[in-house]
Amino acid sequence: QVQLVESGGGLVQAGGSLRLSCAASGNIFVINAMGWYRQAPGKQRELVAVIRSGGSTNYADSVKGRFTISRDNAKNTVFLQMNSLKLEDTAVYYCYLAILRDRNDYWGQGTQVTVSS
């Protein structure tokens, strides 16, 4: 079994910062990619950031320059540093994991980020 445990969400004022973390465990041989999605009320789930096995990254245009994705390979953990937070960043943030040669995607339980004015 594969488990993703997220932490770091909370309430923050606009302009503030939060750091999310997601630790993966279980039957993992080689990680292909890890990343973050988010879903705001009434909106579809969208990709926020992804980091691939080779270290390359991609970000949604709306978060470029403000968010940074990183990982600790030894601990199978991915982070999302969120700076200059805006009201529009309010959402449930979901960690995801893709394992090499595994056709399934794995998802965390979600962590709430709320940005207030």
Side-chain angles (χ1 to χ4, degrees):
Q1 67 185 42
V2 175
Q3 300 289 332
L4 299 175
V5 179
E6 303 175 22
S7 63
L11 175 65
V12 64
Q13 287 192 320
S17 298
L18 286 173
R19 190 177 79 149
L20 307 182
S21 64
C22 174
S25 63
N27 189 22
I28 301 168
F29 183 60
V30 177
I31 293 176
N32 191 42
M34 295 188 76
W36 295 91
Y37 284 71
R38 68 185 181 188
Q39 188 165 23
K43 302 290 182 64
Q44 292 185 310
R45 186 174 297 189
E46 64 174 346
L47 175 70
V48 177
V50 61
I51 184 165
R52 300 181 179 86
S53 60
S56 63
T57 59
N58 289 97
Y59 296 90
D61 288 341
S62 60
V63 307
K64 284 182 179 177
R66 300 188 297 119
F67 291 10
T68 302
I69 189 168
S70 62
R71 66 187 180 191
D72 183 338
N73 291 333
K75 298 181 179 180
N76 288 337
T77 300
V78 65
F79 305 94
L80 186 68
Q81 179 66 46
M82 304 185 294
N83 297 326
S84 301
L85 282 160
K86 303 175 179 179
L87 268 60
E88 65 190 85
D89 295 318
T90 295
V92 177
Y93 285 70
Y94 297 91
C95 176
Y96 91 93
L97 165 68
I99 299 172
L100 190 67
R101 309 190 197 283
D102 187 341
R103 294 171 182 175
N104 299 312
D105 293 330
Y106 300 92
W107 296 90
Q109 80 282 359
T111 185
Q112 177 71 47
V113 172
T114 302
V115 183
S116 64
S117 61

